Amino acid sequence: MAETEQQPGSTPEDEVPEVTASATFMIPKKEISMVPDMGKWKRSQAYADYMGFILTLNEGVKGKKLTCEYKVSETVEKLLDLLETLDQWINETPPVDQPSRFGNKAYRTWFAKLDQEAEALVSAVLPADRQAAAPEIAVYLKESVGNSTRIDYGTGHEAAFAAFLCCLCKVGALRIDDQLAIVFKVFNRYLAVMRKLQKTYRMEPAGSQGVWGLDDFQFLPFIWGSSQFIDHPTLEPRHFIDERVVNEHHNDYMFLECIKFINEMKTGPFAEHSNQLWNISAVPSWSKVNQGLIRMYKAECLEKFPVIQHFKFGSLLSIQPTKP
């Protein structure tokens, strides 16, 4: 990998320059209001930066276990503290009694606390000379935990968290050697908090395709999780539907942690409730699974208007077209 040749302080994308301290930040806003606007998104600097970030991390985690050794920087520690705070707030905000089983209204109380505190939480993560970026970056954090009106959560919210991490890279708070910690520590902890939210408040899946979607709530951990398995000496895609394998190895592999959560939340035969994943288990190699999931992510999430209409653009993730 070429990371070692990069200048210290470069970001997890090869070509995305760090933002200078004097940059003017802005509150991100929606730019994709009609289906024809989707072309604008796919040509944007934001799309190139976002996809570059996802793929750089995909490359970084290739063949590595969650339990392997890697550097944990001060920023990563601060992000874990931030996620711990969100987790604590769930404990302090128990679900309320209500007639409807789904979408517990206590979620709105929890969300209101984040809405109020997000900027301060992000400020605590940023270095002193990057404090001006807090209001812009905080928007992505607030967008990453679900929708407080509908009390739902889906891949668009997950994308906002990846965008949040990408912005932290662009302002230089996270660096190239944080790659493994970004996925294995920060993103993994984020997933745990999201699963707790989904379970505690019985959140609805946003825009779920039912059995025809990959998963009700997440997508990125399947991409990065399949990359972890590339060139594994014994575990093949066919093994992940074996509960024994899942129970034995889920602490090492993000993909299996996702399968474990599905098995806990759903009843009945796996092939029926998770048909897409069942089909994926028939793919011969993990690198083919990984490539297929990246294609599917672009088609099913990033190129779908109902998802991208909610995405917000600012100075760090810009709607401006990429430079030729």
Side-chain angles (χ1 to χ4, degrees):
M1 288 271 306
E3 286 114 86
T4 45
E5 296 150 32
Q6 292 211 347
Q7 296 307 307
S10 62
T11 58
E13 304 97 289
D14 302 335
E15 65 291 338
V16 176
E18 240 182 59
V19 175
T20 56
S22 61
T24 27
F25 298 105
M26 60 186 277
I27 300 296
K29 59 184 201 301
K30 295 179 185 180
E31 299 276 4
I32 309 299
S33 52
M34 298 178 302
V35 174
D37 294 337
M38 288 296 285
K40 207 162 60 164
W41 152 243
K42 289 200 308 218
R43 290 188 297 273
S44 72
Q45 190 60 51
Y47 182 89
D49 290 351
Y50 180 85
M51 219 40 236
F53 183 68
I54 299 302
L55 295 176
T56 301
L57 294 174
N58 186 60
E59 199 55 40
V61 301
K62 196 179 275 185
K64 297 193 169 69
K65 292 180 177 183
L66 289 170
T67 47
C68 76
E69 283 192 17
Y70 48 83
K71 169 182 164 274
V72 177
S73 65
E74 193 187 344
T75 304
V76 167
E77 293 287 8
K78 287 174 176 175
L79 282 166
L80 295 173
D81 291 344
L82 182 158
L83 290 164
E84 180 57 38
T85 301
L86 301 190
D87 195 329
Q88 278 305 117
W89 289 348
I90 302 174
N91 298 342
E92 292 162 19
T93 320
V96 294
D97 282 337
Q98 61 178 48
S100 158
R101 266 180 66 213
F102 288 97
N104 195 283
K105 290 183 176 54
Y107 171 78
R108 290 183 183 143
T109 310
W110 178 88
F111 186 90
K113 198 173 271 190
L114 172 62
D115 197 33
Q116 210 179 334
E117 300 287 336
E119 216 171 292
L121 289 171
V122 173
S123 279
V125 172
L126 290 171
D129 62 345
R130 291 290 189 272
Q131 290 297 317
E136 177 165 344
I137 299 177
V139 169
Y140 296 103
L141 178 64
K142 288 191 280 194
E143 295 280 321
S144 74
V145 296
N147 180 286
S148 64
T149 311
R150 296 187 302 272
I151 313 183
D152 65 6
Y153 175 94
T155 50
H157 302 110
E158 177 190 73
F161 192 75
F164 166 70
L165 296 172
C166 182
C167 287
L168 289 173
C169 290
K170 293 198 75 166
V171 297
L174 290 169
R175 298 176 181 274
I176 189 84
D177 54 358
D178 288 319
Q179 272 186 46
L180 285 174
I182 288 171
V183 179
F184 290 173
K185 274 262 189 254
V186 181
F187 194 81
N188 215 26
R189 184 72 179 96
Y190 163 77
L191 285 178
V193 177
M194 292 309 105
R195 287 175 183 138
K196 187 166 169 176
L197 276 180
Q198 290 152 17
K199 264 183 174 165
T200 306
Y201 304 121
R202 303 297 300 267
M203 296 178 78
E204 300 268 19
S208 165
Q209 297 163 311
V211 294
W212 304 112
L214 184 68
D215 177 78
D216 281 344
F217 297 111
Q218 313 297 157
F219 205 116
L220 291 173
F222 292 97
I223 294 179
W224 295 330
S226 59
S227 181
Q228 283 185 275
F229 273 126
I230 291 175
D231 297 332
H232 194 285
T234 54
L235 293 176
E236 294 170 20
R238 62 191 171 94
H239 290 118
F240 76 74
I241 47 179
D242 176 344
E243 222 159 305
R244 188 184 54 81
V245 170
V246 172
N247 292 335
E248 215 168 294
H249 298 282
H250 71 92
N251 289 325
D252 282 327
Y253 296 101
M254 209 169 232
F255 197 101
L256 300 182
E257 193 64 68
C258 292
I259 301 295
K260 184 171 177 282
F261 186 65
I262 290 171
N263 288 338
E264 284 167 13
M265 299 298 277
K266 303 209 166 184
T267 52
F270 191 86
E272 285 176 23
H273 63 61
S274 301
N275 191 263
Q276 278 280 22
L277 284 166
W278 177 263
N279 292 338
I280 286 169
S281 72
V283 175
S285 75
W286 283 110
S287 62
K288 282 220 165 24
V289 169
N290 186 245
Q291 288 159 11
L293 286 173
I294 290 165
R295 277 197 306 274
M296 188 177 168
Y297 184 60
K298 287 178 179 171
E300 297 299 323
C301 300
L302 301 185
E303 291 173 15
K304 285 281 188 280
F305 174 72
V307 176
I308 297 305
Q309 64 175 334
H310 302 294
F311 197 88
K312 292 184 175 173
F313 301 84
S315 73
L316 296 168
L317 289 168
S318 167
I319 191 65
Q320 296 308 315
T322 45
K323 313 275 186 295

